Amino acid sequence: MPEHDFELYLSLLSRFLRLKAVQRDEIADELRDHLEARLEELAARGLSRDEAIKAALDEFGDAAELANHFTHVAHVRKRRIIMRYTFGTAAALAAAILITTAFWPESKQAPVRVMAVVEAQDPGKGAAPATKLPFPGGIGDNSDKAVVEAKLSRRLEEGFELVDVPLRDALESLSEQLGVDIIIDQSIVGGEGINLDVQVSVQIRRTKISGRAALDLVLEPAKLSYTFRDGLIMVTTPQNANQIQVYNVRDLVRQAHDSYGGSGTPMGGAPGMMGPGGPMGHSSMLSRGGSGGMMMAGMVAGGGAHAESSGGMGGMGGGMGGGNAIRETNSLAELIATTIDPASWDGEGGHGSIIQYQELLVVKNSQTVHGKIRALLEMMRETAQRPPGSTAGAPAGMNMPAAGPGAAPGAMPPGAPPRR
Amino acid sequence: MANFSPELMRGSLDLMVLSILATGSKYGYLLQQELRDASRGLVDLQAGTLYPLLHRLESDKLIRCKWEASTGRRRKWYELTEAGRKRLSAQAREWHAYAECIRALLAPVADALPRPV
């Protein structure tokens, strides 16, 4: 006759076991057998039933901790079995990924995997790009973040293989390999469309992929993304992974004003203005989303009309007339939204938003997009500094955002959300 | 477990469990009791330590399990595999050598101890 307290303990343990139902039941059966045998013995020794039950349970210790031990053992085993049997499959899969990504058309917004592969070809630079790289950006501006990014850029020593492992365990195993804590954003647990129990299968045996690529592969089936917080990685929705950054674009806006409106002031600002105005309040603004994101659609569509409303810097009233190929605008927000990852913005089904408020650009989007924006602004500043007519270097530079940061190791996006 | 420090025991728990299983297949509870008896009460492996350890040895293919229901109660029996037997004899040899070495090293201080182990 099963003891109520035993069943309570076992069901608690079961809940902590991140294993298949069959395995959970077997463990419960085995431990129940032990508990009952122990109870009999202790009772025979003269302990009261309550004392005996308590003593028997105490010997197993904390249910959560015990469950962790079992889970860990099971997953180590799983990894090993996979290694043994999927040698050929994994090698073929890895080769296929490499081939696919190597020839992925760049105009299609290089997907996360391409970025990871490109980065892997140039190890070391991804995490801490030298300042002289033509494509700065994506650099963590707080040291915690830089440390995590450096770890993500490292390649996994043991290869990476999981077969039908629940997402949580896959993350745990990856966390062990990376040496970085990975937590799940508790605010998304139980949310609509969030399935943290989705089974993950990844089989990369021969290729030592980067931690970032592995993380992307693990998160892909659940359509989740991640962000950095206090030296750890937080898994969350692509929407929450978006971070708000504020760009000071006074110089660029002034330039437009000066050239077109003819106020006569010399080019103000100069490159570097962006520095102080740059990323603000990184982690503290996490998942606070929504601040005015709705304006985005209006901005893209509004074109010239919007320019007037944004603080009177323009005066040009850029037109939409020329169709897709040729377009004139003096709205920096529109320029960015049409040039960089169009699908990531609100109006196009994404979750990003961009608002130009007087001389500030408030952008909510993924780390990837922020990196591209920084690079684009830099290029615009650089180009604007050259004398008119001197096109040398500028066209090449201006082409870069379209090519995507995959082309430049320095712009490796830290928080790229998985492609949907 | 006031007998040996956990640090001292940690490296040899596998070996102890394998050696108990060398005498025949056992289920967890029985194994625990036999280990206690064989060590004259000095090694009392807590259940919370024993079962994860058994599962690990099983995943290492050093032991294998069989579910037995003939007694009316579903019970999981463990037995040594061939690999487990080999591991046991190899490690047992190593441990004898190690124990000898430690004994020799500690000989000069043994007199100072009330009860050398």
Side-chain angles (χ1 to χ4, degrees), chain A residues 26 29-30 33-34 36 38 40-41 59 66 70 73 77 80, chain B residues 29 32-33 46-48 51-52 55 60 67 73-76 78:
Chain A
E26 285 194 348
D29 283 352
E30 182 176 24
D33 178 38
H34 180 104
E36 285 168 3
R38 183 70 176 150
E40 276 170 31
E41 188 193 316
E59 287 166 10
L66 183 59
F70 281 124
V73 168
R77 161 170 40 187
R80 230 173 275 144
Chain B
Y29 187 71
Q32 186 192 35
Q33 280 184 317
Q46 290 291 297
Y51 286 95
H55 285 217
D60 288 344
W67 283 94
R73 181 191 258 165
R74 228 163 92 81
R75 183 162 269 175
K76 195 177 180 186
Y78 295 93

PDB file of all heavy atoms in Angstrom, chain A residues 26 29-30 33-34 36 38 40-41 59 66 70 73 77 80, chain B residues 29 32-33 46-48 51-52 55 60 67 73-76 78:
ATOM      1  N   GLU A  26       9.947   4.862 -14.267  1.00  0.00           N
ATOM      2  CA  GLU A  26      10.891   3.836 -13.814  1.00  0.00           C
ATOM      3  C   GLU A  26      11.643   4.291 -12.575  1.00  0.00           C
ATOM      4  O   GLU A  26      11.851   3.521 -11.636  1.00  0.00           O
ATOM      5  CB  GLU A  26      11.877   3.489 -14.941  1.00  0.00           C
ATOM      6  CG  GLU A  26      11.257   2.632 -16.020  1.00  0.00           C
ATOM      7  CD  GLU A  26      12.305   2.020 -16.938  1.00  0.00           C
ATOM      8  OE1 GLU A  26      13.480   2.444 -16.857  1.00  0.00           O
ATOM      9  OE2 GLU A  26      11.934   1.135 -17.725  1.00  0.00           O
ATOM     10  N   ASP A  29       9.288   4.145  -9.658  1.00  0.00           N
ATOM     11  CA  ASP A  29       9.075   2.758  -9.229  1.00  0.00           C
ATOM     12  C   ASP A  29      10.257   2.252  -8.402  1.00  0.00           C
ATOM     13  O   ASP A  29      10.088   1.601  -7.374  1.00  0.00           O
ATOM     14  CB  ASP A  29       8.890   1.846 -10.448  1.00  0.00           C
ATOM     15  CG  ASP A  29       7.496   1.983 -11.049  1.00  0.00           C
ATOM     16  OD1 ASP A  29       6.663   2.662 -10.408  1.00  0.00           O
ATOM     17  OD2 ASP A  29       7.250   1.435 -12.138  1.00  0.00           O
ATOM     18  N   GLU A  30      11.431   2.557  -8.908  1.00  0.00           N
ATOM     19  CA  GLU A  30      12.629   2.070  -8.227  1.00  0.00           C
ATOM     20  C   GLU A  30      12.742   2.676  -6.826  1.00  0.00           C
ATOM     21  O   GLU A  30      13.012   1.973  -5.844  1.00  0.00           O
ATOM     22  CB  GLU A  30      13.870   2.399  -9.060  1.00  0.00           C
ATOM     23  CG  GLU A  30      15.145   1.874  -8.428  1.00  0.00           C
ATOM     24  CD  GLU A  30      16.373   2.117  -9.292  1.00  0.00           C
ATOM     25  OE1 GLU A  30      16.341   3.038 -10.122  1.00  0.00           O
ATOM     26  OE2 GLU A  30      17.353   1.384  -9.119  1.00  0.00           O
ATOM     27  N   ASP A  33      10.104   1.378  -4.371  1.00  0.00           N
ATOM     28  CA  ASP A  33      10.503   0.060  -3.881  1.00  0.00           C
ATOM     29  C   ASP A  33      11.477   0.197  -2.707  1.00  0.00           C
ATOM     30  O   ASP A  33      11.328  -0.448  -1.671  1.00  0.00           O
ATOM     31  CB  ASP A  33      11.146  -0.714  -5.035  1.00  0.00           C
ATOM     32  CG  ASP A  33      11.630  -2.083  -4.594  1.00  0.00           C
ATOM     33  OD1 ASP A  33      10.936  -2.712  -3.777  1.00  0.00           O
ATOM     34  OD2 ASP A  33      12.698  -2.510  -5.061  1.00  0.00           O
ATOM     35  N   HIS A  34      12.426   1.094  -2.888  1.00  0.00           N
ATOM     36  CA  HIS A  34      13.420   1.306  -1.836  1.00  0.00           C
ATOM     37  C   HIS A  34      12.769   1.890  -0.571  1.00  0.00           C
ATOM     38  O   HIS A  34      13.008   1.412   0.542  1.00  0.00           O
ATOM     39  CB  HIS A  34      14.507   2.253  -2.343  1.00  0.00           C
ATOM     40  CG  HIS A  34      15.577   2.543  -1.332  1.00  0.00           C
ATOM     41  ND1 HIS A  34      16.831   1.980  -1.395  1.00  0.00           N
ATOM     42  CD2 HIS A  34      15.588   3.329  -0.214  1.00  0.00           C
ATOM     43  CE1 HIS A  34      17.565   2.396  -0.375  1.00  0.00           C
ATOM     44  NE2 HIS A  34      16.834   3.224   0.356  1.00  0.00           N
ATOM     45  N   GLU A  36       9.735   1.717   0.474  1.00  0.00           N
ATOM     46  CA  GLU A  36       8.875   0.770   1.189  1.00  0.00           C
ATOM     47  C   GLU A  36       9.695  -0.262   1.954  1.00  0.00           C
ATOM     48  O   GLU A  36       9.371  -0.598   3.098  1.00  0.00           O
ATOM     49  CB  GLU A  36       7.902   0.108   0.203  1.00  0.00           C
ATOM     50  CG  GLU A  36       6.795   1.073  -0.194  1.00  0.00           C
ATOM     51  CD  GLU A  36       5.968   0.580  -1.374  1.00  0.00           C
ATOM     52  OE1 GLU A  36       6.212  -0.543  -1.859  1.00  0.00           O
ATOM     53  OE2 GLU A  36       5.068   1.342  -1.801  1.00  0.00           O
ATOM     54  N   ARG A  38      12.643   0.184   3.066  1.00  0.00           N
ATOM     55  CA  ARG A  38      13.280   0.897   4.178  1.00  0.00           C
ATOM     56  C   ARG A  38      12.290   1.129   5.315  1.00  0.00           C
ATOM     57  O   ARG A  38      12.629   0.991   6.486  1.00  0.00           O
ATOM     58  CB  ARG A  38      13.828   2.229   3.653  1.00  0.00           C
ATOM     59  CG  ARG A  38      14.579   3.056   4.667  1.00  0.00           C
ATOM     60  CD  ARG A  38      15.905   2.424   5.020  1.00  0.00           C
ATOM     61  NE  ARG A  38      16.680   3.251   5.924  1.00  0.00           N
ATOM     62  CZ  ARG A  38      17.539   2.782   6.824  1.00  0.00           C
ATOM     63  NH1 ARG A  38      17.724   1.483   6.929  1.00  0.00           N
ATOM     64  NH2 ARG A  38      18.207   3.589   7.597  1.00  0.00           N
ATOM     65  N   GLU A  40       9.710  -0.688   6.081  1.00  0.00           N
ATOM     66  CA  GLU A  40       9.500  -1.941   6.794  1.00  0.00           C
ATOM     67  C   GLU A  40      10.615  -2.186   7.803  1.00  0.00           C
ATOM     68  O   GLU A  40      10.365  -2.540   8.959  1.00  0.00           O
ATOM     69  CB  GLU A  40       9.466  -3.110   5.799  1.00  0.00           C
ATOM     70  CG  GLU A  40       8.106  -3.328   5.173  1.00  0.00           C
ATOM     71  CD  GLU A  40       8.179  -4.332   4.021  1.00  0.00           C
ATOM     72  OE1 GLU A  40       9.033  -5.253   4.068  1.00  0.00           O
ATOM     73  OE2 GLU A  40       7.385  -4.194   3.071  1.00  0.00           O
ATOM     74  N   GLU A  41      11.844  -1.959   7.344  1.00  0.00           N
ATOM     75  CA  GLU A  41      12.965  -2.243   8.213  1.00  0.00           C
ATOM     76  C   GLU A  41      12.975  -1.327   9.439  1.00  0.00           C
ATOM     77  O   GLU A  41      13.170  -1.772  10.564  1.00  0.00           O
ATOM     78  CB  GLU A  41      14.282  -2.111   7.449  1.00  0.00           C
ATOM     79  CG  GLU A  41      15.462  -2.584   8.289  1.00  0.00           C
ATOM     80  CD  GLU A  41      16.804  -2.178   7.692  1.00  0.00           C
ATOM     81  OE1 GLU A  41      16.963  -2.313   6.473  1.00  0.00           O
ATOM     82  OE2 GLU A  41      17.665  -1.727   8.464  1.00  0.00           O
ATOM     83  N   GLU A  59      16.705  10.210   3.764  1.00  0.00           N
ATOM     84  CA  GLU A  59      17.875   9.591   3.153  1.00  0.00           C
ATOM     85  C   GLU A  59      17.990   9.893   1.657  1.00  0.00           C
ATOM     86  O   GLU A  59      19.053   9.744   1.074  1.00  0.00           O
ATOM     87  CB  GLU A  59      17.830   8.073   3.371  1.00  0.00           C
ATOM     88  CG  GLU A  59      18.127   7.701   4.805  1.00  0.00           C
ATOM     89  CD  GLU A  59      17.771   6.262   5.134  1.00  0.00           C
ATOM     90  OE1 GLU A  59      17.462   5.495   4.189  1.00  0.00           O
ATOM     91  OE2 GLU A  59      17.786   5.928   6.325  1.00  0.00           O
ATOM     92  N   LEU A  66      17.953  15.709  -6.188  1.00  0.00           N
ATOM     93  CA  LEU A  66      18.023  14.323  -6.647  1.00  0.00           C
ATOM     94  C   LEU A  66      17.587  14.234  -8.111  1.00  0.00           C
ATOM     95  O   LEU A  66      18.226  13.558  -8.927  1.00  0.00           O
ATOM     96  CB  LEU A  66      17.134  13.445  -5.763  1.00  0.00           C
ATOM     97  CG  LEU A  66      17.144  11.948  -6.049  1.00  0.00           C
ATOM     98  CD1 LEU A  66      18.534  11.374  -5.921  1.00  0.00           C
ATOM     99  CD2 LEU A  66      16.181  11.216  -5.110  1.00  0.00           C
ATOM    100  N   PHE A  70      19.618  12.725 -11.533  1.00  0.00           N
ATOM    101  CA  PHE A  70      19.095  11.744 -12.485  1.00  0.00           C
ATOM    102  C   PHE A  70      19.050  12.321 -13.892  1.00  0.00           C
ATOM    103  O   PHE A  70      19.434  11.670 -14.871  1.00  0.00           O
ATOM    104  CB  PHE A  70      17.680  11.298 -12.085  1.00  0.00           C
ATOM    105  CG  PHE A  70      17.665  10.287 -10.967  1.00  0.00           C
ATOM    106  CD1 PHE A  70      16.949  10.526  -9.805  1.00  0.00           C
ATOM    107  CD2 PHE A  70      18.340   9.091 -11.097  1.00  0.00           C
ATOM    108  CE1 PHE A  70      16.920   9.598  -8.775  1.00  0.00           C
ATOM    109  CE2 PHE A  70      18.314   8.143 -10.072  1.00  0.00           C
ATOM    110  CZ  PHE A  70      17.604   8.408  -8.907  1.00  0.00           C
ATOM    111  N   VAL A  73      22.527  12.556 -15.431  1.00  0.00           N
ATOM    112  CA  VAL A  73      23.040  11.250 -15.858  1.00  0.00           C
ATOM    113  C   VAL A  73      22.398  10.831 -17.177  1.00  0.00           C
ATOM    114  O   VAL A  73      23.069  10.408 -18.109  1.00  0.00           O
ATOM    115  CB  VAL A  73      22.771  10.175 -14.781  1.00  0.00           C
ATOM    116  CG1 VAL A  73      23.022   8.791 -15.343  1.00  0.00           C
ATOM    117  CG2 VAL A  73      23.629  10.427 -13.564  1.00  0.00           C
ATOM    118  N   ARG A  77      24.240  10.310 -20.926  1.00  0.00           N
ATOM    119  CA  ARG A  77      24.114   9.039 -21.638  1.00  0.00           C
ATOM    120  C   ARG A  77      23.604   9.273 -23.048  1.00  0.00           C
ATOM    121  O   ARG A  77      24.083   8.722 -24.009  1.00  0.00           O
ATOM    122  CB  ARG A  77      23.152   8.124 -20.879  1.00  0.00           C
ATOM    123  CG  ARG A  77      22.602   6.993 -21.738  1.00  0.00           C
ATOM    124  CD  ARG A  77      21.869   5.968 -20.936  1.00  0.00           C
ATOM    125  NE  ARG A  77      21.054   6.538 -19.884  1.00  0.00           N
ATOM    126  CZ  ARG A  77      20.428   5.803 -18.963  1.00  0.00           C
ATOM    127  NH1 ARG A  77      20.574   4.505 -18.969  1.00  0.00           N
ATOM    128  NH2 ARG A  77      19.694   6.365 -18.046  1.00  0.00           N
ATOM    129  N   ARG A  80      26.147  10.458 -25.398  1.00  0.00           N
ATOM    130  CA  ARG A  80      27.116   9.449 -25.775  1.00  0.00           C
ATOM    131  C   ARG A  80      26.549   8.488 -26.815  1.00  0.00           C
ATOM    132  O   ARG A  80      27.213   8.104 -27.753  1.00  0.00           O
ATOM    133  CB  ARG A  80      27.565   8.681 -24.531  1.00  0.00           C
ATOM    134  CG  ARG A  80      29.065   8.621 -24.463  1.00  0.00           C
ATOM    135  CD  ARG A  80      29.490   8.028 -23.163  1.00  0.00           C
ATOM    136  NE  ARG A  80      29.553   9.004 -22.117  1.00  0.00           N
ATOM    137  CZ  ARG A  80      29.227   8.743 -20.853  1.00  0.00           C
ATOM    138  NH1 ARG A  80      28.766   7.566 -20.510  1.00  0.00           N
ATOM    139  NH2 ARG A  80      29.344   9.666 -19.947  1.00  0.00           N
TER     140      ARG A  80
ATOM    141  N   TYR B  29      18.280  -1.381  -2.709  1.00  0.00           N
ATOM    142  CA  TYR B  29      18.201  -1.443  -1.251  1.00  0.00           C
ATOM    143  C   TYR B  29      19.102  -2.538  -0.684  1.00  0.00           C
ATOM    144  O   TYR B  29      19.819  -2.343   0.300  1.00  0.00           O
ATOM    145  CB  TYR B  29      16.742  -1.686  -0.840  1.00  0.00           C
ATOM    146  CG  TYR B  29      16.518  -1.612   0.643  1.00  0.00           C
ATOM    147  CD1 TYR B  29      16.586  -0.394   1.303  1.00  0.00           C
ATOM    148  CD2 TYR B  29      16.260  -2.764   1.386  1.00  0.00           C
ATOM    149  CE1 TYR B  29      16.399  -0.316   2.668  1.00  0.00           C
ATOM    150  CE2 TYR B  29      16.063  -2.697   2.751  1.00  0.00           C
ATOM    151  CZ  TYR B  29      16.135  -1.464   3.391  1.00  0.00           C
ATOM    152  OH  TYR B  29      15.947  -1.394   4.739  1.00  0.00           O
ATOM    153  N   GLN B  32      22.708  -1.534  -0.895  1.00  0.00           N
ATOM    154  CA  GLN B  32      23.042  -0.578   0.162  1.00  0.00           C
ATOM    155  C   GLN B  32      23.329  -1.304   1.480  1.00  0.00           C
ATOM    156  O   GLN B  32      24.312  -1.029   2.165  1.00  0.00           O
ATOM    157  CB  GLN B  32      21.873   0.397   0.331  1.00  0.00           C
ATOM    158  CG  GLN B  32      22.143   1.537   1.300  1.00  0.00           C
ATOM    159  CD  GLN B  32      20.855   2.274   1.641  1.00  0.00           C
ATOM    160  OE1 GLN B  32      19.789   1.663   1.734  1.00  0.00           O
ATOM    161  NE2 GLN B  32      20.952   3.581   1.808  1.00  0.00           N
ATOM    162  N   GLN B  33      22.455  -2.266   1.774  1.00  0.00           N
ATOM    163  CA  GLN B  33      22.625  -3.023   3.021  1.00  0.00           C
ATOM    164  C   GLN B  33      23.903  -3.844   3.015  1.00  0.00           C
ATOM    165  O   GLN B  33      24.649  -3.871   3.995  1.00  0.00           O
ATOM    166  CB  GLN B  33      21.444  -3.988   3.201  1.00  0.00           C
ATOM    167  CG  GLN B  33      20.205  -3.320   3.738  1.00  0.00           C
ATOM    168  CD  GLN B  33      19.109  -4.341   3.976  1.00  0.00           C
ATOM    169  OE1 GLN B  33      18.884  -5.227   3.138  1.00  0.00           O
ATOM    170  NE2 GLN B  33      18.427  -4.233   5.099  1.00  0.00           N
ATOM    171  N   GLN B  46      24.134   6.891   1.340  1.00  0.00           N
ATOM    172  CA  GLN B  46      22.778   7.446   1.371  1.00  0.00           C
ATOM    173  C   GLN B  46      22.040   7.115   0.070  1.00  0.00           C
ATOM    174  O   GLN B  46      22.640   7.098  -1.013  1.00  0.00           O
ATOM    175  CB  GLN B  46      22.841   8.972   1.524  1.00  0.00           C
ATOM    176  CG  GLN B  46      23.317   9.435   2.879  1.00  0.00           C
ATOM    177  CD  GLN B  46      22.305   9.131   3.974  1.00  0.00           C
ATOM    178  OE1 GLN B  46      21.194   9.652   3.940  1.00  0.00           O
ATOM    179  NE2 GLN B  46      22.677   8.282   4.926  1.00  0.00           N
ATOM    180  N   ALA B  47      20.746   6.875   0.226  1.00  0.00           N
ATOM    181  CA  ALA B  47      19.943   6.514  -0.954  1.00  0.00           C
ATOM    182  C   ALA B  47      20.033   7.589  -2.032  1.00  0.00           C
ATOM    183  O   ALA B  47      20.100   7.289  -3.224  1.00  0.00           O
ATOM    184  CB  ALA B  47      18.491   6.318  -0.535  1.00  0.00           C
ATOM    185  N   GLY B  48      20.043   8.831  -1.592  1.00  0.00           N
ATOM    186  CA  GLY B  48      20.104   9.937  -2.553  1.00  0.00           C
ATOM    187  C   GLY B  48      21.400   9.974  -3.340  1.00  0.00           C
ATOM    188  O   GLY B  48      21.484  10.606  -4.388  1.00  0.00           O
ATOM    189  N   TYR B  51      21.365   5.960  -5.831  1.00  0.00           N
ATOM    190  CA  TYR B  51      20.621   5.730  -7.071  1.00  0.00           C
ATOM    191  C   TYR B  51      21.156   6.511  -8.275  1.00  0.00           C
ATOM    192  O   TYR B  51      21.303   5.927  -9.353  1.00  0.00           O
ATOM    193  CB  TYR B  51      19.118   5.943  -6.840  1.00  0.00           C
ATOM    194  CG  TYR B  51      18.541   4.775  -6.069  1.00  0.00           C
ATOM    195  CD1 TYR B  51      18.414   4.818  -4.681  1.00  0.00           C
ATOM    196  CD2 TYR B  51      18.183   3.607  -6.731  1.00  0.00           C
ATOM    197  CE1 TYR B  51      17.933   3.726  -3.977  1.00  0.00           C
ATOM    198  CE2 TYR B  51      17.699   2.512  -6.029  1.00  0.00           C
ATOM    199  CZ  TYR B  51      17.567   2.577  -4.648  1.00  0.00           C
ATOM    200  OH  TYR B  51      17.106   1.497  -3.977  1.00  0.00           O
ATOM    201  N   PRO B  52      21.475   7.778  -8.105  1.00  0.00           N
ATOM    202  CA  PRO B  52      22.110   8.449  -9.255  1.00  0.00           C
ATOM    203  C   PRO B  52      23.410   7.752  -9.653  1.00  0.00           C
ATOM    204  O   PRO B  52      23.726   7.642 -10.847  1.00  0.00           O
ATOM    205  CB  PRO B  52      22.379   9.860  -8.736  1.00  0.00           C
ATOM    206  CG  PRO B  52      21.341  10.087  -7.685  1.00  0.00           C
ATOM    207  CD  PRO B  52      21.173   8.736  -7.029  1.00  0.00           C
ATOM    208  N   HIS B  55      22.621   4.744 -11.675  1.00  0.00           N
ATOM    209  CA  HIS B  55      22.182   5.113 -13.022  1.00  0.00           C
ATOM    210  C   HIS B  55      23.367   5.535 -13.881  1.00  0.00           C
ATOM    211  O   HIS B  55      23.401   5.288 -15.077  1.00  0.00           O
ATOM    212  CB  HIS B  55      21.143   6.232 -12.951  1.00  0.00           C
ATOM    213  CG  HIS B  55      19.795   5.738 -12.506  1.00  0.00           C
ATOM    214  ND1 HIS B  55      18.619   6.227 -13.018  1.00  0.00           N
ATOM    215  CD2 HIS B  55      19.447   4.789 -11.596  1.00  0.00           C
ATOM    216  CE1 HIS B  55      17.597   5.587 -12.446  1.00  0.00           C
ATOM    217  NE2 HIS B  55      18.080   4.725 -11.572  1.00  0.00           N
ATOM    218  N   ASP B  60      27.165   4.122 -18.123  1.00  0.00           N
ATOM    219  CA  ASP B  60      28.535   3.823 -18.544  1.00  0.00           C
ATOM    220  C   ASP B  60      28.691   2.372 -18.985  1.00  0.00           C
ATOM    221  O   ASP B  60      29.798   1.934 -19.310  1.00  0.00           O
ATOM    222  CB  ASP B  60      29.522   4.100 -17.403  1.00  0.00           C
ATOM    223  CG  ASP B  60      29.701   5.590 -17.162  1.00  0.00           C
ATOM    224  OD1 ASP B  60      29.320   6.373 -18.058  1.00  0.00           O
ATOM    225  OD2 ASP B  60      30.220   5.972 -16.097  1.00  0.00           O
ATOM    226  N   TRP B  67      14.242  -5.529 -14.896  1.00  0.00           N
ATOM    227  CA  TRP B  67      13.068  -5.363 -14.040  1.00  0.00           C
ATOM    228  C   TRP B  67      12.497  -6.734 -13.740  1.00  0.00           C
ATOM    229  O   TRP B  67      12.288  -7.536 -14.653  1.00  0.00           O
ATOM    230  CB  TRP B  67      12.027  -4.475 -14.718  1.00  0.00           C
ATOM    231  CG  TRP B  67      12.383  -3.027 -14.665  1.00  0.00           C
ATOM    232  CD1 TRP B  67      13.055  -2.318 -15.626  1.00  0.00           C
ATOM    233  CD2 TRP B  67      12.128  -2.120 -13.595  1.00  0.00           C
ATOM    234  NE1 TRP B  67      13.226  -1.026 -15.211  1.00  0.00           N
ATOM    235  CE2 TRP B  67      12.663  -0.858 -13.978  1.00  0.00           C
ATOM    236  CE3 TRP B  67      11.496  -2.220 -12.348  1.00  0.00           C
ATOM    237  CZ2 TRP B  67      12.599   0.265 -13.162  1.00  0.00           C
ATOM    238  CZ3 TRP B  67      11.421  -1.097 -11.544  1.00  0.00           C
ATOM    239  CH2 TRP B  67      11.968   0.126 -11.947  1.00  0.00           C
ATOM    240  N   ARG B  73       6.170  -7.403  -6.651  1.00  0.00           N
ATOM    241  CA  ARG B  73       6.536  -5.989  -6.613  1.00  0.00           C
ATOM    242  C   ARG B  73       7.570  -5.744  -7.719  1.00  0.00           C
ATOM    243  O   ARG B  73       8.506  -6.533  -7.871  1.00  0.00           O
ATOM    244  CB  ARG B  73       7.168  -5.719  -5.250  1.00  0.00           C
ATOM    245  CG  ARG B  73       7.594  -4.312  -5.021  1.00  0.00           C
ATOM    246  CD  ARG B  73       8.435  -4.241  -3.763  1.00  0.00           C
ATOM    247  NE  ARG B  73       7.689  -3.731  -2.615  1.00  0.00           N
ATOM    248  CZ  ARG B  73       8.123  -3.844  -1.360  1.00  0.00           C
ATOM    249  NH1 ARG B  73       9.239  -4.480  -1.097  1.00  0.00           N
ATOM    250  NH2 ARG B  73       7.428  -3.330  -0.371  1.00  0.00           N
ATOM    251  N   ARG B  74       7.320  -4.720  -8.509  1.00  0.00           N
ATOM    252  CA  ARG B  74       8.266  -4.402  -9.583  1.00  0.00           C
ATOM    253  C   ARG B  74       9.582  -3.968  -8.959  1.00  0.00           C
ATOM    254  O   ARG B  74       9.636  -3.029  -8.167  1.00  0.00           O
ATOM    255  CB  ARG B  74       7.700  -3.252 -10.412  1.00  0.00           C
ATOM    256  CG  ARG B  74       7.753  -3.488 -11.904  1.00  0.00           C
ATOM    257  CD  ARG B  74       6.824  -2.516 -12.598  1.00  0.00           C
ATOM    258  NE  ARG B  74       7.509  -1.292 -12.984  1.00  0.00           N
ATOM    259  CZ  ARG B  74       8.256  -1.187 -14.069  1.00  0.00           C
ATOM    260  NH1 ARG B  74       8.427  -2.228 -14.853  1.00  0.00           N
ATOM    261  NH2 ARG B  74       8.836  -0.054 -14.395  1.00  0.00           N
ATOM    262  N   ARG B  75      10.625  -4.642  -9.318  1.00  0.00           N
ATOM    263  CA  ARG B  75      11.898  -4.353  -8.668  1.00  0.00           C
ATOM    264  C   ARG B  75      13.023  -4.325  -9.698  1.00  0.00           C
ATOM    265  O   ARG B  75      13.081  -5.157 -10.600  1.00  0.00           O
ATOM    266  CB  ARG B  75      12.171  -5.428  -7.608  1.00  0.00           C
ATOM    267  CG  ARG B  75      13.419  -5.210  -6.817  1.00  0.00           C
ATOM    268  CD  ARG B  75      13.371  -6.020  -5.552  1.00  0.00           C
ATOM    269  NE  ARG B  75      12.793  -5.278  -4.442  1.00  0.00           N
ATOM    270  CZ  ARG B  75      12.551  -5.817  -3.249  1.00  0.00           C
ATOM    271  NH1 ARG B  75      12.796  -7.099  -3.021  1.00  0.00           N
ATOM    272  NH2 ARG B  75      12.065  -5.076  -2.281  1.00  0.00           N
ATOM    273  N   LYS B  76      13.906  -3.384  -9.541  1.00  0.00           N
ATOM    274  CA  LYS B  76      14.985  -3.190 -10.519  1.00  0.00           C
ATOM    275  C   LYS B  76      16.268  -3.811  -9.988  1.00  0.00           C
ATOM    276  O   LYS B  76      16.778  -3.413  -8.948  1.00  0.00           O
ATOM    277  CB  LYS B  76      15.188  -1.692 -10.764  1.00  0.00           C
ATOM    278  CG  LYS B  76      16.017  -1.362 -11.991  1.00  0.00           C
ATOM    279  CD  LYS B  76      16.086   0.139 -12.186  1.00  0.00           C
ATOM    280  CE  LYS B  76      16.917   0.512 -13.411  1.00  0.00           C
ATOM    281  NZ  LYS B  76      17.100   1.958 -13.534  1.00  0.00           N
ATOM    282  N   TYR B  78      20.252  -4.944 -10.509  1.00  0.00           N
ATOM    283  CA  TYR B  78      21.467  -4.565 -11.239  1.00  0.00           C
ATOM    284  C   TYR B  78      22.461  -5.713 -11.228  1.00  0.00           C
ATOM    285  O   TYR B  78      22.561  -6.438 -10.238  1.00  0.00           O
ATOM    286  CB  TYR B  78      22.134  -3.355 -10.584  1.00  0.00           C
ATOM    287  CG  TYR B  78      21.310  -2.097 -10.650  1.00  0.00           C
ATOM    288  CD1 TYR B  78      20.450  -1.754  -9.603  1.00  0.00           C
ATOM    289  CD2 TYR B  78      21.407  -1.240 -11.746  1.00  0.00           C
ATOM    290  CE1 TYR B  78      19.701  -0.595  -9.652  1.00  0.00           C
ATOM    291  CE2 TYR B  78      20.656  -0.082 -11.801  1.00  0.00           C
ATOM    292  CZ  TYR B  78      19.811   0.241 -10.757  1.00  0.00           C
ATOM    293  OH  TYR B  78      19.067   1.391 -10.804  1.00  0.00           O
TER     294      TYR B  78
END
